[in-house]
Amino acid sequence: MGTSKSIFLLALVLMIFYGCEGPQGPMGPSGPAGQGIGSLSDPSIMPKVIYTYPPANSVGPYENFYQPVGWIYYPWENRIYPFQVYISQFQIRFNKFMDITSMRHAVAIASPLDDVRVDTSSVMSVGGDVFLVTPVDSNGGRLSKWRIGQNYTFTVSSVARDVNGNMLQPAFSMAFMPEPYFRVRAVSPANGATNVSPTNYYITLALNSTVDTSFHSFVQMNPPITGQWFLSTDSITLYYVSSPALRTSTTYTITIGTEAHNKFGNHLQQPFISAFTTLPFEVASTYPSDGSTNVGVMQSISINFTGQPDTSTVRAALTAHPPIAGQYYYYSPATVQLNPMGEMFLDSVYAVTIDTSIRGYDGGRLSAPYTFSFRTVPFEVSSTYPYDGSTFVSPYSSVGVFFNALIDTGSVRSSFSLLDSLNHSLSGYYTMYSNGFYFSASADLKPYSVYTAKITTGLRANQGKVLKVPYMFSFTTGSLSNQTQ
């Protein structure tokens, strides 16, 4: 990885590990019911721990113990691959409202190797009686991996006080073993998923311990998927980037045998098997969507498929009524885009059909023709200068009117007028554009005066369509020294 890429990665790592506050709220299962809101602040009741997650003196793995907090993005070969970042978070509940300042001095996590501690700045209170504690490694990074088979100790010393000043007596201590054996923590796509997009390029394996690149050889995929493995910088997440896209209507099975091991020689206790099924080749979405209105007459038509289409079959399979002449472009790689070479008809309904002659790159086909329709915009004014209600407009300004379609410039002069405050029409000259015009009065406009521009229904589009209703807008000029609005 080059220097610039390393800097890019380092910056993102720092933003995630030192900028994230972590999930807000309890992460584990709901704790036991309390004794009532009044008891939480009763000075005669001494504080004690009534619940923890993970449970005291327990052996994992624990559900919901790892929480995603962000992503690290790796730039490789001019592409960017995401690796999700996780933290582990403790929950502890008291029978009293506790003083959070004392709690930040009281909580601690310890290990035989002294490789974990509490990030005291991130100790958070939820309601005053529940606290979230985030462990960090010896370098201060949010902890997302625990040593296999190792016991850890979580303590709350007697420095902890409730809101009445009562000390926690006796101090609280618990042992826990979050990861008793080497395992695959999570897989994506999830086991049993049946709606996986074939254009999903990433297969993710999140492990509970560090591995090296040799782990790739233990992973078998059936049917085989062409691609490349990448390993995250913390060496616990593997990404398989497929190229080309996955096949449609296909069940893929991922198998990892017990010969797979981490860097410390711990093997999987049992084979890992996970399977997912991709979607059939079909239309996923369109733009404009079916039933859309007010679609621009030069709007590109996009069709997103669930899988990569065979581009040689697209032109013959796609028809529009009325016909749309245009150029085809292919994106992302499952998107076909038709860019009109000219304007579509104004205020008209278009129906676009993709018939079953279209094919996916892997031979998949639509089960039935797909049709969607939309209506284009009516002919209307799209913008003016000055805009309606403008004030302090320079008396030297020209007045501009622009439309949402090409105009018949021969219809402009008889359809436009600029009136002063006495309703007198001003003479002047026009500068024509394909979709609008500017009118410049023969004499400068008067300062601090109201002017009204009117466009009648006689103004036509190139297609012959006219405005459905007259259009008018007004503005007020400023002093003669105003050069611009």
Side-chain angles (χ1 to χ4, degrees):
M1 184 180 292
T3 302
S4 60
K5 291 182 178 179
S6 299
I7 294 173
F8 175 74
L9 176 58
L10 176 61
L12 287 165
V13 169
L14 290 174
M15 283 191 294
I16 289 172
F17 279 90
Y18 296 102
C20 295
E21 286 298 327
Q24 303 295 311
M27 293 297 106
S30 298
Q35 301 176 9
I37 191 69
S39 65
L40 294 173
S41 57
D42 187 340
S44 66
I45 297 177
M46 298 296 103
K48 66 179 180 179
V49 175
I50 60 174
Y51 173 80
T52 66
Y53 189 80
N57 306 315
S58 64
V59 176
Y62 307 114
E63 186 178 0
N64 300 322
F65 191 47
Y66 298 92
Q67 296 296 318
V69 293
W71 299 84
I72 296 178
Y73 290 87
Y74 292 76
W76 289 316
E77 301 175 0
N78 297 320
R79 296 180 68 180
I80 295 178
Y81 303 117
F83 283 77
Q84 196 157 26
V85 177
Y86 292 86
I87 64 169
S88 305
Q89 197 166 59
F90 284 79
Q91 176 180 316
I92 182 167
R93 185 178 182 186
F94 295 83
N95 66 333
K96 294 291 297 294
F97 291 134
M98 301 296 290
D99 174 67
I100 190 169
T101 301
S102 69
M103 282 293 297
R104 286 174 174 156
H105 289 91
V107 293
I109 298 175
S111 70
L113 298 178
D114 197 28
D115 56 356
V116 62
R117 59 182 175 83
V118 169
D119 179 8
T120 55
S121 65
S122 69
V123 174
M124 295 179 293
S125 173
V126 181
D129 58 332
V130 176
F131 290 82
L132 302 180
V133 179
T134 301
V136 295
D137 61 28
S138 55
N139 296 318
R142 300 297 174 91
L143 195 69
S144 59
K145 54 187 176 183
W146 301 82
R147 289 186 177 271
I148 303 299
Q150 179 167 288
N151 275 304
Y152 294 82
T153 303
F154 177 74
T155 58
V156 185
S157 75
S158 294
V159 172
R161 290 177 169 80
D162 64 19
V163 292
N164 307 115
N166 299 314
M167 298 175 60
L168 180 68
Q169 292 286 359
F172 176 81
S173 179
M174 61 169 270
F176 64 101
M177 182 187 291
E179 295 295 349
Y181 50 83
F182 180 48
R183 66 189 179 98
V184 178
R185 279 201 305 104
V187 60
S188 180
N191 183 33
T194 57
N195 59 346
V196 177
S197 170
T199 57
N200 172 58
Y201 284 93
Y202 307 116
I203 296 173
T204 310
L205 294 171
L207 308 171
N208 69 337
S209 184
T210 55
V211 297
D212 56 33
T213 55
S214 67
F215 193 88
H216 305 162
S217 61
F218 302 123
V219 184
Q220 304 298 319
M221 290 181 282
N222 187 37
I225 303 173
T226 303
Q228 182 179 359
W229 282 108
F230 294 98
L231 183 62
S232 62
T233 53
D234 60 6
S235 300
I236 62 172
T237 304
L238 292 95
Y239 262 70
Y240 192 78
V241 183
S242 61
S243 179
L246 304 177
R247 299 178 65 86
T248 55
S249 300
T250 302
T251 297
Y252 289 91
T253 302
I254 302 170
T255 304
I256 309 174
T258 54
E259 67 275 14
H261 57 82
N262 64 2
K263 282 185 177 181
F264 309 102
N266 302 107
H267 288 253
L268 292 179
Q269 288 193 337
Q270 58 188 15
F272 173 83
I273 301 175
S274 182
F276 64 90
T277 303
T278 56
L279 291 167
F281 183 66
E282 56 190 15
V283 175
S285 63
T286 65
Y287 187 83
S289 58
D290 187 36
S292 294
T293 57
N294 293 319
V295 175
V297 291
M298 290 298 293
Q299 174 64 57
S300 296
I301 313 301
S302 296
I303 304 165
N304 304 305
F305 295 91
T306 55
Q308 183 175 339
D310 178 351
T311 57
S312 67
T313 66
V314 171
R315 293 176 183 270
L318 193 152
T319 57
H321 183 76
I324 302 173
Q327 295 179 317
Y328 288 88
Y329 294 89
Y330 303 96
Y331 298 98
S332 71
T335 300
V336 174
Q337 183 170 295
L338 172 60
N339 293 340
M341 297 179 66
E343 291 183 329
M344 292 184 283
F345 295 127
L346 288 157
D347 201 14
S348 300
V349 174
Y350 279 80
V352 180
T353 299
I354 306 99
D355 66 37
T356 56
S357 66
I358 196 169
R359 295 286 187 274
Y361 87 98
D362 58 356
R365 58 182 296 174
L366 297 181
S367 58
Y370 185 93
T371 299
F372 65 100
S373 62
F374 58 88
R375 178 180 285 276
T376 55
V377 292
F379 181 52
E380 56 192 7
V381 175
S382 60
S383 65
T384 65
Y385 180 82
Y387 59 82
D388 188 33
S390 294
T391 57
F392 300 104
V393 176
S394 171
Y396 309 107
S397 294
S398 297
V399 176
V401 184
F402 289 85
F403 299 82
N404 60 355
L406 303 179
I407 63 171
D408 176 1
T409 56
S411 67
V412 170
R413 288 176 173 82
S414 61
S415 305
F416 175 82
S417 57
L418 181 62
L419 308 176
D420 62 17
S421 56
L422 299 176
N423 211 32
H424 295 154
S425 179
L426 277 63
S427 61
Y429 61 91
Y430 293 84
T431 303
M432 299 294 183
Y433 296 88
S434 61
N435 66 329
F437 62 88
Y438 273 99
F439 173 80
S440 301
S442 300
D444 295 336
L445 304 182
K446 295 179 180 179
Y448 306 110
S449 299
V450 176
Y451 288 86
T452 302
K454 293 184 178 181
I455 305 101
T456 71
T457 56
L459 201 147
R460 297 187 300 273
N462 255 359
Q463 301 177 14
K465 296 280 187 179
V466 298
L467 295 177
K468 290 187 175 182
V469 294
Y471 187 91
M472 60 187 298
F473 62 98
S474 300
F475 59 90
T476 303
T477 56
S479 70
L480 290 175
S481 62
N482 286 351
Q483 298 299 310
T484 58
Q485 185 179 338

